[in-house]
Amino acid sequence: MANTKSAEKRYRQSLKRRARNVNVRTTVKDAVKSAREAIASKDGSKTTDALKAASKTLNKAASKGVLHKRTAARRISRLAKAAAKAKA
């Protein structure tokens, strides 16, 4: 356990931060999963909505620093590519 007051505070802060990050990551995973399911169903409007929601969620996670911005961009790109392939 922490020995100093500042170390105790840092520990409390890290727990709060971790809980927030876990929540954001879970939301990202859910959004990406629903987008992949929509792509697999080959329903055009459903796919568009799910892709928009997933990219918004990924961008928000990147802006909060939970995901690296290039990781978010890569995932969005791959989802869009898969959606375009499913439409064709």
Side-chain angles (χ1 to χ4, degrees), residues 3 6 9 19 23 26 32 36-38 45-46 52 55 62 65 67 79 82:
N3 291 328
S6 61
K9 182 177 179 181
N23 185 33
T26 303
V32 170
R36 291 207 181 280
E37 287 171 355
S45 61
K46 193 177 174 185
K52 195 180 289 185
S55 62
L67 288 178
L79 280 174

Side-chain angles (χ1 to χ4, degrees), residues 24-25 28 56-68 72:
V24 172
R25 264 190 231 112
V28 166
K56 183 179 178 182
T57 309
L58 282 161
N59 279 328
K60 195 175 266 191
S63 70
K64 289 181 179 181
V66 177
L67 288 178
H68 193 275

Side-chain angles (χ1 to χ4, degrees), residues 35 38-39 42-55 83 87:
I39 290 168
K42 298 192 180 193
D43 182 9
S45 61
K46 193 177 174 185
T47 300
T48 306
D49 293 340
L51 189 64
K52 195 180 289 185
S55 62
K87 281 183 183 179

